[in-house]
Amino acid sequence: MFEARRLYGLLFILLLLTPAAFGQDITGIINGRVSDSSGAVIPGVNVTLTSPAIQGNRTAVSGETGAYQFLLIPAGSYTLKFELPGFKTVNHDGIIVQVQKTTAINVTLEVSATAETVNVTGESPVVDVQNATVGVNFNSAMLRDIPNSRDIWIVLGQSPGVNMTRYDVGGSTMGSQTGFRAYGTTGQNSFNLDGITTTDGSGSAGWYFDYGTFSEIQVSAAANAAEVQTPGALMNTVIKSGGNDFHGRAYIDWETKKFQTKNVADEMRRACPATAAAAASFTGPCGVFTGDQFSRYNDFNVDMGGFIKKDKLWWYASWRDQYSDLITQLGIRDTAVNQYGMPLNGAASIESGGHYTTRLRIPTVKFNWQVTKNNQFVFLWQHSRKKAPYRSGAASGVDRYKYIIESTGNQKDPSDGRKVQWTSILSPKLTMDLKIADSEYIFPQYSHVEKTPVNDTVTLLIRGGFPGPFVQWRKHWDFGGTTSYFTEGLGGNHNLKFGYDTYWEATRDFTMTYPGGGYQLVLANGVPSQVLVRDYPYTSKNAVYQNAAFAQDKWQIGRRLTLNLGVRWDRYAPYYADQFNNHEGPFGNPSTWLPAGVAIPQTTITKTHVAYFKNVVPRFSFAYDLFGNGRTAIKGSAGRYSWNPSFSLASSANPNRGGTYTFTWDGTLPITKQYLLSRPRPNSN
């Protein structure tokens, strides 16, 4: 009991001393026991770890129970060397380490009076008999060889327990995020780019990554340990590093409409009968249309890595250029229009079959610097730029006919992820991993032209400029790190892990006014109906500040049973910041063009915390090596998770919003302040 108090007292002290904060771990663990041919444990065995994935080597010594352990091991293939005078040396090669997995290597040493070496190859266990997380790890070979369209949503769709809401066919969803459910849970997901948190809100990936840079992707769909905050899926991606040898890879694919066939016959494309009488004598299919076709799709990806100084300074760089051009029902232009900018006779665009294009360009740079034998510094930067010049034309195929090119939104956004990381091997049993990371995501939709937006509520056609221009800016700061400590005794071996996290996510949503005059015209089958006026532009500022702490113990009892005991504390503080809205609409202050008695939203807003959420949640799981050979395990888990309100809760409560006012319209143009004052009192929202 006294030793237990000392152990958890040490845990508490180290928890207090750990610098803020922790991120999702992108490393693995190697552990095991050393025994002789009789099964008796052997302490004092020197264990040396080498791999192309690490700079130099690492060493450990088996303890009083014969146990040894290596923490913070990057994913890759490893070799272990076991040495003790009086015993044969054992070289164990081809040990595979995966992200957030424990690879158990138990070794038997044979007595020998001479210096002999035993080589063991290809016996790395494929079952993690110490963790109960439900998920899958995609290593570099799988990422390279599994047929897919090379993005993270395709990988999610190939993971057990994850169901996608739509499917990619030959790159058809390139540059678009896809919704999904993980064991029935929607949202509340976590996304990490080599330890950089990119999660947008409470469950989106944020932006787009370079698939070719990944050395491994881990998808954990359920039963996560205490370091994972939310109940949805966790996606960990690990970016390649340089090495002591130069390496590189080039990838290119190309697709045109010749690679795509049509499975809709002429009979299926017939117009369906418009009346019940006509339908009575009608047989066969009708009203089925061909989907979008590729005009061109290509993906060019090249990367390379190497060293500036072997075992001291490595570098890695990558470039990806991905492009998609779909032929859709998006209109090109109208050859004849009425005075309101709509095509004559309410018809759709005379020239149709516009091109909906998307382009992603992503450079990546990474450096690994082995400052000393036990201290490493890592720098990573990945930039992503997306261009989708006809964004609103990306609706489902049956809706794209509503738009022509100039009425769509023009998206051109940059995104960035950066981190600096410091890893220390303080002793063979104590490690610390610290980082500072940030990510930034900008999502704009601009109008192509300064023309008054016009839409028809009957024909559903949309013309003029883009009716809802905006710019959304997301910013994340994460001060990251973990501390792990390994000890023997107290009923088994304990791998203790803990941390404290400080995380800040903010959004600035700049909503612009209507282009071409500041108002939108509404028709009903070509007849003037309404005019919408906004007192825009304005900027809404919202954020969430999170503090969290966790502690977990991987407790190995004997040779077969492992208990994972964890507890997590989360504190969320969503708030909206100090901000101001001058409510200057297209005709000046709304009080000068709104009828008397119409309320105008609040002008000055002070910083307000919307709520505070504090939760302490337990996590428990077990894994039992059924036959003791590392090939079959029985696992179970139970736990609770906190709900991440993100900035969305503050955004919904923020009183800073512009008013949209609806007036009746008799066709008069142009719209003036005097005209609005003559109309009936408007509805507003």
Side-chain angles (χ1 to χ4, degrees), residues 108-395:
T108 300
L109 298 186
E110 298 178 6
V111 176
S112 176
T114 60
E116 295 184 64
T117 299
V118 177
N119 294 312
V120 180
T121 303
E123 292 188 6
S124 182
V126 295
V127 176
D128 185 347
V129 295
Q130 296 180 23
N131 293 298
T133 300
V134 179
V136 63
N137 288 59
F138 296 84
N139 60 30
S140 57
M142 296 171 67
L143 294 174
R144 181 192 64 219
D145 297 336
I146 294 177
N148 62 35
S149 299
R150 305 181 80 239
D151 70 31
I152 61 173
W153 292 275
I154 298 299
V155 174
L156 280 166
Q158 295 170 332
S159 303
V162 177
N163 294 317
M164 311 305 292
T165 58
R166 65 173 176 170
Y167 298 95
D168 182 282
V169 180
S172 60
T173 64
M174 169 256 175
S176 299
Q177 299 202 31
T178 300
F180 63 93
R181 293 186 299 273
Y183 285 95
T185 300
T186 302
Q188 296 294 304
N189 305 305
S190 298
F191 292 86
N192 292 274
L193 176 68
D194 204 76
I196 302 171
T197 299
T198 69
T199 311
D200 180 23
S202 61
S204 298
W207 37 282
Y208 303 94
F209 309 142
D210 180 353
Y211 182 93
T213 63
F214 298 145
S215 63
E216 186 164 335
I217 296 179
Q218 177 209 19
V219 179
S220 299
N224 286 307
E227 62 188 297
V228 180
Q229 58 177 343
T230 52
L234 163 67
M235 171 169 276
N236 258 336
T237 64
V238 182
I239 289 182
K240 302 172 186 175
S241 297
N244 286 332
D245 296 307
F246 291 101
H247 58 84
R249 181 169 178 257
Y251 172 92
I252 187 169
D253 62 41
W254 186 278
E255 181 180 347
T256 69
K257 60 183 179 182
K258 293 181 179 180
F259 289 81
Q260 183 176 357
T261 186
K262 296 179 181 180
N263 59 357
V264 179
D266 291 340
E267 180 187 42
M268 300 167 70
R269 288 195 291 265
R270 294 179 300 173
C272 294
T275 64
S281 58
F282 189 91
T283 59
C286 65
V288 180
F289 299 94
T290 303
D292 297 337
Q293 275 194 307
F294 276 112
S295 173
R296 177 164 67 91
Y297 171 86
N298 62 268
D299 186 359
F300 173 72
N301 207 171
V302 59
D303 70 343
M304 61 186 66
F307 63 90
I308 298 174
K309 186 175 181 179
K310 287 188 175 182
D311 283 330
K312 191 70 175 179
L313 184 58
W314 292 350
W315 63 271
Y316 172 79
S318 176
W319 169 262
R320 188 183 192 188
D321 190 337
Q322 191 178 13
Y323 178 82
S324 171
D325 182 10
L326 294 171
I327 302 174
T328 77
Q329 295 302 308
L330 171 67
I332 300 174
R333 64 185 178 90
D334 296 310
T335 56
V337 297
N338 61 21
Q339 67 270 36
Y340 307 121
M342 282 289 181
L344 292 174
N345 303 320
S349 169
I350 293 177
E351 295 186 22
S352 62
H355 289 243
Y356 179 77
T357 64
T358 304
R359 188 166 199 170
L360 298 175
R361 291 176 173 175
I362 309 175
T364 304
V365 176
K366 186 177 183 180
F367 291 95
N368 296 68
W369 176 27
Q370 195 70 35
V371 183
T372 66
K373 177 177 174 56
N374 294 321
N375 293 279
Q376 185 186 65
F377 175 83
V378 177
F379 169 78
L380 170 67
W381 171 69
Q382 186 170 106
H383 175 76
S384 175
R385 180 171 289 273
K386 176 182 176 179
K387 290 187 177 181
Y390 316 123
R391 174 66 187 239
S392 302

Side-chain angles (χ1 to χ4, degrees), residues 127 129 559-561 623-634:
V127 176
V129 295
R559 296 177 180 268
R560 296 192 181 186
L561 178 63
Y624 184 73
D625 188 349
L626 190 59
F627 302 111
N629 58 10
R631 297 178 181 274
T632 307
I634 298 175

Side-chain angles (χ1 to χ4, degrees), residues 54-74:
I54 60 174
Q55 294 164 314
N57 59 54
R58 299 189 188 180
T59 60
V61 178
S62 61
E64 60 185 20
T65 63
Y68 71 94
Q69 182 159 246
F70 292 96
L71 307 171
L72 296 179
I73 304 298

Side-chain angles (χ1 to χ4, degrees), residues 29-31 46-60 68-70 73-83 89-97 103 105 107 117-125:
I29 295 173
I30 295 178
N31 66 17
N46 294 311
V47 187
T48 303
L49 178 73
T50 57
S51 170
I54 60 174
Q55 294 164 314
N57 59 54
R58 299 189 188 180
T59 60
Y68 71 94
Q69 182 159 246
F70 292 96
I73 304 298
S77 178
Y78 287 82
T79 296
L80 286 174
K81 185 177 183 179
F82 299 85
E83 298 175 289
T89 297
V90 173
N91 284 327
H92 200 305
D93 196 10
I95 300 169
I96 303 301
V97 174
T103 303
I105 303 296
V107 171
T117 299
V118 177
N119 294 312
V120 180
T121 303
E123 292 188 6
S124 182

